[in-house]
Amino acid sequence: MGVAIARLRLRGPPDRAALARFAIEDGIRTSWPDDERLVLIRRVALGRTRPEQRPDRRSAQFRQAWDLATQGRRHGGESNAGDSNCVWFASHGEAWRLLARELIAGRRPVAWYWRLAVPDWQGEPAREWLAAALREALAGRGAIEPVALVEAVVAEGGIDLLLVATEQMAAGPVRLPLAETNAVADADRAAEAAAAAAGGDPLVAQRFANAPVLAVREALPERLVAAIERLALQIGPGAPIARRLLERLLLRGSPALRLAPQQLAEAVRSYVVLLETGRGPTASIARGAAGSKVAEAATPATTQQAEAPPAGEADAAGCAAAMPDPVQTRALEGEPLVAPPSVSRLFDEATSPFAGLWLVVPVLIRMGFREWLTDHPDLAAADGGRRLIRAIGRHFGVNPEDPALLPFVDCVPGDPDFARPWRVALDFHLWRRARIRLHEVVCRPGWLRQTEERLVIGFDPESVDLRLRRHALDIDPGWTDWLGLSVRYLYAKQGEP
């Protein structure tokens, strides 16, 4: 649990202030509950405390102060939350999205907690704030991931503001991580390596590089892809910022691409070429509620694309057949766009009879699945990690609408060929080590909550399985790069922090 104190008022000798502050912060970390949410307290009276005070007494005193300060806590999205002494959000990202909603709607939040929840906002209007927020997100320093930022703004109908903010961002100096300054050279070297691996045939190499791009575009919400591509065109597809944005979009659709840097660099370069030449597959964004008008505007070329072979079999000629998106053209000409809410992976607590499906993650890690993906970069690039877990769920009859499968809403379609061998090996490993079958692990009820890149799976405290616990098969995997999620298990009643 991280604790940040904005203002601490102490009474006592100045030479003991530093020691008293350390004792207070340490007491708060050990006595206050480890709440996963973002909790903001306007004022808390800790009472009289001394550095030499016994830790158990200080802990009891601070816990009582917490209980008093958090009475009547309210969610930050409620209209009267500013009257409460304690406000909470599900995460920093949720606070960011709610603030963006207010600013995009033309309102200026004045409640006390907004600047604490979103420190980067200092009262500026939406256009200037979005430009700075997008810059920080692309540099890896923001409170919200860049693709999630774009998705949140598009969902609130702020695509126009985002385009204007992009112009401001591109006009000023941009400081990006050192590794990003070499993105162009890395992509060029990766393209040369791909061509060499294909026997020197550039068409074969281009087809190989286009496959992840086409798969991601097919899996992700169309409105999100269209918005990202417009931003890249607005900045200039060859610019390092645009490449970074396209890279994050590819990782959103296939997190395991992190384990295949060469394929990722090739896919980014291919994406840039498709955008620069206008040969990429079309993507449309509905205008208001008239989504059918976009469908009526489809050309024979787009129909031909819809009947094209799967992403893995697509070739460069099929990419060249697509026509420019008319909605994209209107956006570049400055005509306003209004976007309906997009599909989101985020969801509040939801129960599932198959929450145990996510208990296979630490077992797969122990069996060396990550190293196996690293040794098979093509399978990693095809989102092999998430597709495997989804295939295991489908094998045991998990409904596609079940909350246990909601994190895969933007997963590349289809089950991988290696799903069955790994599922059999997983079942054998569980039986040999813990005398438990895979279906017993998967068919385990619980609840799930996903916020940004964090997934919490909760189980009833009485459902702890000693067969798993004895061999540490239910420990938190933490950040799992091939899933693009930080996975945590929580044994608590639903609704408890």
Side-chain angles (χ1 to χ4, degrees):
M1 177 181 67
V3 177
I5 301 175
R7 180 182 301 173
L8 179 62
R9 186 174 300 172
L10 294 172
R11 293 181 182 178
D15 58 337
R16 305 194 67 183
L19 185 58
R21 184 185 184 95
F22 173 80
I24 289 173
E25 292 179 345
D26 182 67
I28 287 176
R29 292 189 186 96
T30 56
S31 61
W32 285 8
D34 187 9
D35 200 323
E36 296 177 349
R37 298 169 291 188
L38 172 62
V39 181
L40 305 169
I41 302 176
R42 191 173 191 177
R43 183 178 183 273
V44 55
L46 298 176
R48 187 174 182 179
T49 179
R50 297 183 301 274
E52 63 273 12
Q53 186 178 7
R54 287 177 52 180
D56 57 338
R57 292 184 179 179
R58 183 187 301 120
S59 177
Q61 177 183 338
F62 285 6
R63 182 55 189 258
Q64 183 180 7
W66 160 271
D67 294 336
L68 292 175
T70 57
Q71 284 181 356
R73 68 170 69 180
R74 294 174 182 171
H75 185 266
E78 298 181 17
S79 58
N80 56 351
D83 299 333
S84 177
N85 186 61
C86 179
V87 174
W88 65 273
F89 295 93
S91 64
H92 286 277
E94 184 191 40
W96 194 99
R97 290 194 302 273
L98 292 178
L99 177 61
R101 175 186 301 174
E102 295 294 310
L103 294 177
I104 291 172
R107 296 185 290 269
R108 185 69 62 88
V110 295
W112 61 269
Y113 54 85
W114 283 114
R115 296 195 184 187
L116 293 176
V118 188
D120 296 336
W121 181 66
Q122 297 300 321
E124 60 266 51
R127 185 173 61 184
E128 288 77 8
W129 178 59
L130 286 175
L134 186 58
R135 185 196 306 267
E136 291 296 305
L138 289 171
R141 298 188 297 264
I144 186 170
E145 191 266 339
V147 174
L149 183 154
V150 174
E151 184 178 31
V153 174
V154 172
E156 300 301 330
I159 184 66
D160 284 334
L161 287 174
L162 199 57
L163 291 174
V164 175
T166 305
E167 291 179 351
Q168 293 184 352
M169 180 185 64
V174 179
R175 298 182 62 185
L176 294 174
L178 180 63
E180 186 154 331
T181 61
N182 300 322
V184 177
D186 292 344
D188 291 340
R189 286 194 295 269
E192 295 174 0
D201 190 341
L203 291 179
V204 175
Q206 183 68 18
R207 170 183 173 183
F208 176 75
N210 282 345
V213 177
L214 299 178
V216 167
R217 296 175 112 273
E218 180 183 358
L220 292 176
E222 193 175 16
R223 292 184 293 273
L224 173 62
V225 174
I228 295 291
E229 291 181 354
R230 288 199 195 100
L231 288 177
L233 288 171
Q234 191 87 352
I235 300 170
I241 294 180
R243 287 176 176 265
R244 173 75 170 175
L245 197 57
L246 296 175
E247 176 186 299
R248 296 300 302 179
L249 181 67
L250 291 169
L251 290 174
R252 166 73 180 269
S254 180
L257 268 171
R258 292 180 177 88
L259 305 181
Q262 178 176 324
Q263 280 74 6
L264 178 59
E266 292 166 359
V268 172
R269 185 178 186 278
S270 174
Y271 213 151
V272 170
V273 171
L274 291 176
L275 292 180
E276 286 179 334
T277 60
R279 295 184 300 157
T282 61
S284 60
I285 190 168
R287 220 178 139 78
S292 59
K293 295 183 180 180
V294 177
E296 294 173 0
T299 62
T302 59
T303 304
Q304 179 180 356
Q305 178 210 349
E307 298 175 355
E313 302 175 5
D315 54 18
C319 298
M323 300 295 292
D325 181 9
V327 182
Q328 185 178 32
T329 304
R330 290 196 297 271
L332 296 177
E333 293 174 352
E335 194 171 340
L337 291 170
V338 179
S342 60
V343 177
S344 175
R345 300 177 300 169
L346 312 183
F347 57 92
D348 295 326
E349 291 184 5
T351 58
S352 168
F354 299 99
L357 172 65
W358 287 91
L359 287 172
V360 306
V361 175
V363 186
L364 286 172
I365 293 174
R366 183 169 296 188
M367 292 174 63
F369 180 71
R370 184 185 186 279
E371 290 74 15
W372 183 82
L373 277 180
T374 304
D375 294 337
H376 299 80
D378 296 347
L379 300 180
D383 204 8
R386 295 196 300 171
R387 293 170 68 198
L388 171 61
I389 297 181
R390 185 182 61 184
I392 293 174
R394 287 179 173 177
H395 175 79
F396 291 107
V398 182
N399 191 300
E401 304 297 327
D402 190 279
L405 294 183
L406 282 182
F408 305 122
V409 67
D410 54 7
C411 185
V412 174
D415 295 339
D417 295 335
F418 58 83
R420 185 179 183 278
W422 269 100
R423 174 173 51 80
V424 173
L426 189 62
D427 183 62
F428 177 77
H429 180 86
L430 285 169
W431 179 253
R432 181 171 59 88
R433 291 297 303 273
R435 286 296 183 261
I436 187 173
R437 288 298 186 186
L438 179 58
H439 71 87
E440 297 180 71
V441 175
V442 173
C443 303
R444 191 177 298 264
W447 52 269
L448 301 94
R449 177 174 66 241
Q450 184 173 358
T451 57
E452 283 75 49
E453 295 182 341
R454 183 169 188 171
L455 179 66
V456 178
I457 304 98
F459 302 98
D460 190 285
E462 299 178 358
S463 67
V464 175
D465 196 317
L466 294 180
R467 292 175 294 180
L468 298 175
R469 178 59 57 87
R470 186 181 298 112
H471 298 281
L473 296 178
D474 60 349
I475 60 174
D476 290 346
W479 173 251
T480 309
D481 49 9
W482 48 274
L483 291 176
L485 287 171
S486 178
V487 182
R488 182 188 179 190
Y489 307 129
L490 186 65
Y491 286 91
K493 298 290 185 180
Q494 186 174 0
E496 295 180 358

